Amino acid sequence: MYLATTGRRDAPPAPSGVRRRVPGTVLALGAVSLVTDVSSEMVTAVLPLYLVLGLGLSPLQFGLLDGLSTGATALVRLLGGATADRGGRHKQVGGLGYALSACSRLGLLLAGGATGWIATALAADRLGKGVRTAPRDALITLHSPPEDLGRAFGTHRAMDTTGALLGPLAAFALLWATADAYDAVFAVSFCVGAFGVLLWVLLVPGRAREDGKTRTAPAVPRARGGLLAGLRSPAYRRIVLCAGLLGAATVGDSFLYLLLQRRLAFDPTWFPFLPLGAAAVYLLLAVPVGRLADRTGRRGPLLYGHGALLLAYGLLLAPLPDPVVLLGVLLLLGVFYAATDGVLMALAGPFLTEGRQASGLAVVQTAQALARLGAAVAFGAVWTASGPETALVGALLALTAALCFSARLLPATPSTQGAPKPSESVVPETPETSERTD
């Protein structure tokens, strides 16, 4: 198990061969995310089945609902990041997001089968996620050494994914025990989410440290610009652009699970268990991939992770035995998330302007969210008009092109076990902004 420390970024380097401990703040944030993910996944694991097979939504309608529930968080992410950076209010803003998501479960209790109310409740949950994500990830960045960001984010994502594994199991157990009473799932989900908010209040530090320098690079002057001040950095701009390009070619998990269910024609009762396979792989690989990214650079794992998603698209189109397709897609989807989710944040971390960490991460996340909104709507529209195979071929071609562009655009991020090499340093463009190499 991971061991906690005070989480200071300016502690002396550990002796060679001695494993550095994971900062205590990262573990506290991971515990909150674990509990919150149990709450959210209890609901989201059954929603695609409920909406498409239960309420009879078309793939286009589902794509709009799925995309809007994610894309609606875009501006909120920016607002949450900017607000959190003012006065270091990461805990207050993040806590508001967790509380909003927990309360959204009560909306589902009142929605019944009304699609509009369900969409409103889902939007509230996604808004809460949008508010909290940038402040939370900023706290991980602020309380972790720059050379260990991959491992810190990997540890957090592993704990988060543990909740993703437990949530569907809890939902299935409740549905089995209550004869498919969805209200029971929503009620228990609310209680678990409220417990996550309590953990946030009790365990997460209220303010990031204010002391000066990191171990691997001099302190970066605080930006005097606004929310988009970090975009003055060319390397950061390329990261934002690539996050958008790759997001625009990323088909949502729900669509992939629906394609699997359609191809394999298995009993819909087992549908909620599909995310468990991918989550288990993600859980096993998140920390090792994070450590690998810290040693070898974070650009490679990010690209290879999207390559795994590309292979998953291909498997769904390949004339292979159903068991091979099922296991292969779930395995590749888990690899995709392990190599991209936390790694993208760790890649951006060293290029963030001091005092604008939450805002900087929010811009990256927003670019990705808006791109995925467009991808979900486009995929659903093509599926409705021309069939799932045509839509999947289009997604495969789009992801191939996005990978080619990103391979050329993403900045190189060599490992930083010691001080940065002179050739790796970046000269700031203005006195107000500066870049740190990874």
Side-chain angles (χ1 to χ4, degrees), residues 115-418:
T115 304
W117 284 107
I118 291 174
T120 301
L122 291 178
D125 176 51
R126 295 298 90 186
L127 288 173
K129 182 177 177 64
V131 168
R132 71 178 184 255
T133 300
R136 181 203 65 201
D137 286 349
L139 285 173
I140 296 175
T141 301
L142 288 167
H143 288 272
S144 302
E147 72 272 16
D148 285 341
L149 278 176
R151 185 177 65 150
F153 276 102
T155 299
H156 174 269
R157 296 317 197 246
M159 298 178 72
D160 180 85
T161 306
T162 302
L165 279 169
L166 297 176
L169 291 175
F172 184 83
L174 277 171
L175 289 176
W176 177 80
T178 60
D180 295 338
Y182 284 91
D183 285 354
V185 175
F186 301 150
V188 173
S189 174
F190 166 72
C191 294
V192 176
F195 179 60
V197 175
L198 178 63
L199 289 180
W200 176 275
V201 173
L202 296 177
L203 299 181
V204 177
R207 185 177 293 272
R209 66 175 185 84
E210 297 292 339
D211 50 301
K213 298 182 180 180
T214 67
R215 281 186 287 165
T216 59
V220 181
R222 291 183 178 271
R224 298 176 185 174
L227 178 65
L228 303 181
L231 291 176
R232 298 171 185 170
S233 160
Y236 176 74
R237 284 200 303 269
R238 293 199 296 271
I239 292 173
V240 173
L241 176 59
C242 290
L245 286 173
L246 294 169
T250 300
V251 176
D253 300 356
S254 299
F255 273 123
L256 294 183
Y257 296 144
L258 286 171
L259 287 168
L260 277 175
Q261 196 278 333
R262 181 180 180 276
R263 172 166 176 166
L264 277 61
F266 55 77
D267 188 337
T269 304
W270 299 102
F271 187 89
F273 288 97
L274 287 178
L276 298 183
V281 176
Y282 185 8
L283 175 62
L284 291 174
L285 295 182
V287 176
V289 171
R291 288 174 176 165
L292 177 67
D294 288 336
R295 290 198 302 267
T296 64
R298 294 151 193 164
R299 177 178 178 274
L302 183 67
L303 293 173
Y304 289 130
H306 283 89
L309 182 64
L310 185 69
L311 291 176
Y313 293 174
L315 270 183
L316 285 167
L317 293 167
L320 296 173
D322 288 347
V324 174
V325 174
L326 174 63
L327 294 177
V329 168
L330 296 181
L331 173 64
L332 290 168
L333 192 58
V335 171
F336 162 66
Y337 279 111
T340 60
D341 188 11
V343 172
L344 176 60
M345 298 298 99
L347 174 65
F351 297 102
L352 300 175
T353 304
E354 189 72 18
R356 291 284 184 267
Q357 284 89 351
S359 302
L361 292 176
V363 171
V364 177
Q365 294 160 358
T366 297
Q368 188 178 62
L370 287 176
R372 288 183 175 179
L373 164 62
V377 174
F379 189 86
V382 176
W383 183 343
T384 302
S386 304
E389 288 78 13
T390 302
L392 199 53
V393 169
L396 189 149
L397 294 175
L399 184 53
T400 301
L403 273 171
C404 292
F405 280 111
S406 297
R408 296 181 61 87
L409 290 174
L410 279 174
T413 53
S415 176
T416 56
Q417 295 301 322

